Amino acid sequence: VVIRAQSGELLYRISPWARYVVRDEDKVNYDWVHWNPPQSYIHKHPSPKRLKSLRIYESHVGIASPEGKVASYKNFTYNVLPRIKDLGYNCVQLMAIMEHAYYASFGYQVTSFFAASSRYGTPDDLKEMIDVAHSMGITVLLDVVHSHASKNSEDGLNKFDGTDSCFFHSGHKGNHQLWDSRLFDYANWEVLRFLLSNLRMWIEDYRFDGFRFDGVTSMLYHHHGIGTGFSGDYNEYFGLHVDEDALCYLMMANHMIKFLHPECITIAEDVSGMPALCRPVAEGGGGFDYRLAMAIPDKWIQIIKELKDEDWNMGNIVHTLTNRRYEEKYIAYAESHDQALVGDKTLAFRLMDAEMYTNMSVLSPLTPVIDRGIQLHKMIRLITHALGGESYLNFMGNEFGHPEWLDFPRKGNNESYHYARRQFNLTEDHLLRYRFLNAFDRDMNKLEEQFGWLASPPGFVSEKHESNKVIAFERAGLIFIFNFHPYQSYVDYRVVWHSSLTVLSKYKILLDSDAAEYGGHERLDHNTEYFSEEYPHNYRPNSLMV
């Protein structure tokens, strides 16, 4: 597109609505390509019915292969989707799909909002990938970035008409000081049309089943959450510092999506805890279905980093996992892509660090560091899954404790792809301990699929014992018992049975992190039957011994 600016200068731009943009090897900028195949892809499978609860596999197409290269939509379709299905996840959340000129931005510096990234393949390859996911009963969500845009002007939206406004606020208000990106003017009629059309296009052309809105905290406040803490005081959420234009855009986007496509799901990435963000627009809420429980991963990092095992506070863990706004749905996660990135550490790497390079083979002795790391990795995931929310999320590779960190090719690492990949092959090697973590993650998801605790009311916590380091709770008719003590085991341990059933019941072990197939020590006999009895304990009439 050639635009004559007010100054008379001719500007060469890519259409903001371009559906396909590519970059030649020898060029710096992307070029707009007219994508019009003789036979465009026809979807064969209907979208899955709306799920009661989500088990989300957060994914990035480009790193979804053990090879040091940009992986393709085709690779994801035929090699990764079957793996996600086998692991028991019913939803995949795709990052870095909207075209971004800088690969190392992880997809968060978007240049072409209507274009699916060409570095992984063609638009039809993406349509096929989503269609195949639907055939497996997997819901597909797009990580949508409407909170800011790349500063690129030749192949982005910035300075589209030669001014610093157009799509954005002009001057200081239109720049995000931490992200070095442009901020949309949500009061502008054409900007609203652009963004709302963008959402419709991803749903109606590509058949995405919903969105995870990125950077919602930055949108909600004029301070963008920079240098601001949130304690939960209502003055932090209501006042002149709230960007009402952005809040109204989010409400309008959710209203439009639900009006046109009631089966679609929307998720807010908000760290502030804005009240009613996940209540219907008709109630004056934000209209989202779910919000990310962002305090949970921070809590696990803080505990592992700062506390000795004997100093872990059970009450504090339970509080963080259960501290949610009433009647708003949360997506719990122990870690996401944020923790995997270079400069941070995954839970597995925090727990086992350098020993992951030398002692993850079953042929090497099970050292105390590896033993502790493997057991806590499983327990942290299960308690987060079972107590932390109404849905669960995991970033690809973290389910089996993927070693090292994630780093995209850039000048600082000599454009290396060594860390921009996921070594799924590690779980297939029977001599490595990664398969134990992989198996536990799969069985944990399959158990939830069977009993549906995520769609059940919040768990009833019957015990958080500080000296015993035991947490016990009930949810969906299951009793969960966690022993976080670093060296103490218990026999004849009495736990409350608070079921709505009036008859006394018989219990059996369904999932045991100490089982041999999960790299445990087999200290429990799975043939044992446990009977509840009319024996008062912890102010409840019935209990059982385990």
Side-chain angles (χ1 to χ4, degrees):
V1 179
V2 183
I3 295 171
R4 189 183 299 280
Q6 285 171 328
S7 62
E9 181 192 0
L10 288 182
L11 306 171
Y12 292 84
R13 297 287 186 254
I14 285 179
S15 164
W17 292 269
R19 295 296 185 92
Y20 189 50
V21 295
V22 296
R23 178 168 60 189
D24 293 333
E25 289 290 320
D26 55 341
K27 284 193 176 172
V28 175
N29 295 327
Y30 276 76
D31 288 315
W32 178 21
V33 172
H34 182 55
W35 177 256
N36 187 19
Q39 176 62 57
S40 56
Y41 186 81
I42 297 165
H43 293 269
K44 303 174 189 69
H45 304 280
S47 299
K49 285 198 170 64
R50 190 185 166 102
L51 299 164
K52 287 198 182 78
S53 58
L54 308 171
R55 297 183 300 276
I56 302 170
Y57 198 75
E58 187 183 29
S59 308
H60 184 294
V61 172
I63 61 169
S65 140
E67 297 170 62
K69 63 175 188 185
V70 178
S72 66
Y73 294 126
K74 293 274 188 199
N75 164 71
F76 199 92
T77 306
Y78 297 109
N79 297 328
V80 185
L81 284 176
R83 178 184 188 85
I84 294 170
K85 176 75 176 164
D86 177 62
L87 281 167
Y89 290 93
N90 60 11
C91 178
V92 59
Q93 179 179 299
L94 294 173
M95 312 172 63
I97 294 295
M98 300 165 80
E99 188 61 272
H100 47 292
Y102 184 42
Y103 188 46
S105 73
F106 220 145
Y108 290 121
Q109 296 271 349
V110 176
T111 44
S112 290
F113 283 74
F114 282 76
S117 182
S118 61
R119 50 170 65 83
Y120 320 128
T122 68
D124 282 12
D125 291 346
L126 174 58
K127 289 176 182 176
E128 181 194 24
M129 183 175 112
I130 293 169
D131 199 24
V132 170
H134 287 165
S135 77
M136 297 177 174
I138 295 172
T139 295
V140 186
L141 304 180
L142 174 69
D143 195 341
V144 76
V145 186
H146 281 182
S147 46
H148 64 127
S150 165
K151 270 193 171 168
N152 288 21
S153 54
E154 299 270 323
D155 51 9
L157 292 183
N158 193 20
K159 298 183 178 170
F160 182 68
D161 61 354
T163 70
D164 77 335
S165 52
C166 197
F167 285 91
F168 309 105
H169 289 290
S170 63
H172 173 73
K173 193 179 179 184
N175 289 298
H176 196 294
Q177 64 191 66
L178 283 187
W179 296 343
D180 192 33
S181 54
R182 298 304 315 272
L183 298 171
F184 287 107
D185 176 2
Y186 300 104
N188 183 311
W189 194 255
E190 289 301 328
V191 170
L192 294 175
R193 281 167 44 120
F194 178 79
L195 295 173
L196 293 171
S197 302
N198 188 232
L199 296 172
R200 275 193 77 169
M201 190 273 308
W202 290 113
I203 296 171
E204 293 173 12
D205 280 17
Y206 285 92
R207 302 285 176 90
F208 277 99
D209 302 301
F211 304 100
R212 176 252 199 203
F213 279 78
D214 178 66
V216 168
T217 308
S218 171
M219 295 172 73
L220 290 174
Y221 309 98
H222 292 299
H223 55 62
H224 308 300
I226 298 170
T228 310
F230 293 93
S231 64
D233 187 289
Y234 280 126
N235 291 314
E236 295 164 353
Y237 307 114
F238 303 104
L240 296 176
H241 55 287
V242 174
D243 187 337
E244 292 186 348
D245 293 334
L247 180 57
C248 288
Y249 162 66
L250 290 171
M251 292 169 78
M252 186 155 46
N254 279 312
H255 171 73
M256 181 198 76
I257 291 166
K258 300 292 188 299
F259 179 75
L260 296 171
H261 302 281
E263 70 288 353
C264 279
I265 294 161
T266 58
I267 300 167
E269 188 223 11
D270 170 43
V271 75
S272 75
M274 168 67 84
L277 197 59
C278 298
R279 296 302 301 164
V281 172
E283 291 180 7
F288 287 97
D289 295 299
Y290 295 93
R291 65 199 310 159
L292 291 172
M294 300 182 78
I296 296 175
D298 293 346
K299 176 55 67 179
W300 288 123
I301 289 168
Q302 183 218 337
I303 290 171
I304 292 167
K305 211 163 137 180
E306 298 174 9
L307 299 177
K308 297 199 298 241
D309 287 6
E310 45 270 35
D311 296 334
W312 284 29
N313 184 315
M314 300 297 109
N316 190 243
I317 291 171
V318 168
H319 173 74
T320 304
L321 289 169
T322 55
N323 181 26
R324 336 199 244 285
R325 293 207 177 275
Y326 180 66
E327 291 284 294
E328 295 194 46
K329 291 180 179 174
Y330 282 67
I331 295 174
Y333 60 105
E335 53 187 339
S336 69
H337 69 268
D338 291 321
Q339 287 72 38
L341 281 170
V342 64
D344 208 337
K345 282 185 176 181
T346 62
L347 285 177
F349 217 53
R350 275 187 196 283
L351 290 164
M352 299 180 273
D353 221 3
E355 288 208 18
M356 291 187 84
Y357 295 114
T358 52
N359 295 333
M360 282 304 269
S361 165
V362 292
L363 304 177
S364 62
L366 184 64
T367 64
V369 169
I370 295 292
D371 190 17
R372 169 181 179 269
I374 283 178
Q375 312 317 333
L376 281 177
H377 191 271
K378 293 177 290 191
M379 291 173 70
I380 286 170
R381 284 181 135 59
L382 179 59
I383 196 169
T384 302
H385 202 309
L387 193 59
E390 286 70 38
S391 285
Y392 176 77
L393 177 141
N394 164 68
F395 177 66
M396 62 185 327
N398 286 354
E399 71 276 6
F400 64 84
H402 196 289
E404 302 179 319
W405 51 90
L406 198 54
D407 192 10
F408 287 84
R410 54 190 171 87
K411 276 185 185 149
N413 63 14
N414 293 326
E415 304 293 337
S416 166
Y417 282 89
H418 181 71
Y419 296 110
R421 59 198 180 113
R422 297 274 93 177
Q423 300 175 58
F424 294 126
N425 50 306
L426 295 174
T427 61
E428 280 129 39
D429 188 335
H430 285 278
L431 293 177
L432 294 177
R433 295 190 164 108
Y434 296 105
R435 65 186 171 92
F436 299 141
L437 299 177
N438 201 61
F440 183 79
D441 199 74
R442 181 191 64 223
D443 292 351
M444 170 175 79
N445 281 323
K446 296 281 169 77
L447 193 66
E448 197 286 325
E449 189 173 10
Q450 191 182 346
F451 288 92
W453 63 69
L454 290 170
S456 300
F460 171 80
V461 181
S462 60
E463 182 165 335
K464 32 192 179 183
H465 200 300
E466 295 304 341
S467 54
N468 289 348
K469 296 280 177 264
V470 169
I471 295 172
F473 60 91
E474 279 185 60
R475 196 171 181 189
L478 301 174
I479 299 179
F480 295 85
I481 311 166
F482 292 84
N483 175 10
F484 282 102
H485 204 291
Y487 52 82
Q488 185 75 51
S489 292
Y490 305 100
V491 291
D492 297 335
Y493 198 89
R494 190 169 287 283
V495 291
V496 164
W497 170 71
H498 176 66
S499 176
S500 54
L501 298 167
T502 48
V503 290
L504 297 174
S505 309
K506 177 174 78 175
Y507 285 82
K508 284 184 78 75
I509 293 173
L510 285 178
L511 185 67
D512 170 18
S513 68
D514 201 40
E517 65 264 35
Y518 310 136
H521 300 276
E522 287 189 282
R523 285 169 285 210
L524 300 178
D525 180 2
H526 286 216
N527 295 318
T528 309
E529 294 179 339
Y530 303 88
F531 295 91
S532 55
E533 51 187 331
E534 289 180 14
Y535 188 100
H537 181 66
N538 281 357
Y539 310 105
R540 294 287 165 187
N542 303 320
S543 61
L544 68 154
M545 300 270 265
V546 292

